[in-house]
Amino acid sequence: MRTVILGVAASDSHVVANHLIAHVLRAKGFHVVNLGVCTSVAEFADAYAEHPDAEAVIIGSLNGHAHEDLQDLPAARAAGRLGCPVIIGGNLSVGSYKHTSDRERLHALGVDVVLTDPDALLETLDGLRAEAAPVAASSGAYTTAQTATS
């Protein structure tokens, strides 16, 4: 069974999308470790330690403070505490004007995929799995940076 870790960024208590995503993923056969709302990077890392077979950590953020909430991500990555792809989606910056630098700042923190279309999540997970398989077989590591859109 495919495993993913799901949660909402540390300063965000928007739960509806989180539950909908968990429901869709479970219906598609995934084991979803749902950490719920207000989840810190440390909590995502702890969940990964408990589920090292996780294909991805999926983080939602609707309040626009994703960059601030993920400031500990580089340290967690460097320490080997998050060895799978990190996907983030939702409203990723404050204000109505969205700029490509918002995505670039998240990638610079160690986010692998900035998902701009929630309908692309399953396709993104399948793509990451296919991409990671040869890398994992040869080196045990995963690295990429992309933006998924439809």
Side-chain angles (χ1 to χ4, degrees):
M1 179 175 286
R2 298 172 69 180
T3 299
V4 294
I5 299 167
L6 174 67
V8 180
S11 69
D12 202 325
S13 61
H14 291 91
V15 70
V16 174
N18 173 274
H19 285 299
L20 293 173
I21 291 167
H23 177 75
V24 167
L25 290 170
R26 286 184 181 119
K28 295 294 183 179
F30 283 84
H31 169 68
V32 179
V33 179
N34 191 348
L35 304 177
V37 298
C38 300
T39 308
S40 69
V41 170
E43 290 170 305
F44 284 113
D46 290 345
Y48 180 72
E50 292 179 27
H51 302 276
D53 61 328
E55 291 185 29
V57 168
I58 305 166
I59 303 171
S61 177
L62 291 179
N63 69 3
H65 297 283
H67 186 264
E68 292 82 5
D69 289 338
L70 297 178
Q71 289 299 302
D72 294 336
L73 185 58
R77 292 286 219 176
R81 296 199 63 219
L82 278 172
C84 66
V86 174
I87 301 170
I88 190 161
N91 180 29
L92 304 176
S93 62
V94 177
S96 60
Y97 179 73
K98 306 302 177 196
H99 195 272
T100 56
S101 66
D102 297 329
R103 288 188 299 260
E104 292 166 5
R105 291 180 343 141
L106 291 165
H107 287 305
L109 287 175
V111 171
D112 298 291
V113 178
V114 176
L115 196 63
T116 58
D117 179 0
D119 291 332
L121 179 58
L122 291 168
E123 181 181 338
T124 299
L125 288 168
D126 288 344
L128 289 171
R129 184 179 199 200
E131 185 178 314
V135 173
S138 64
S139 69
Y142 175 87
T143 59
T144 190
Q146 61 186 15
T147 300
T149 60
S150 65

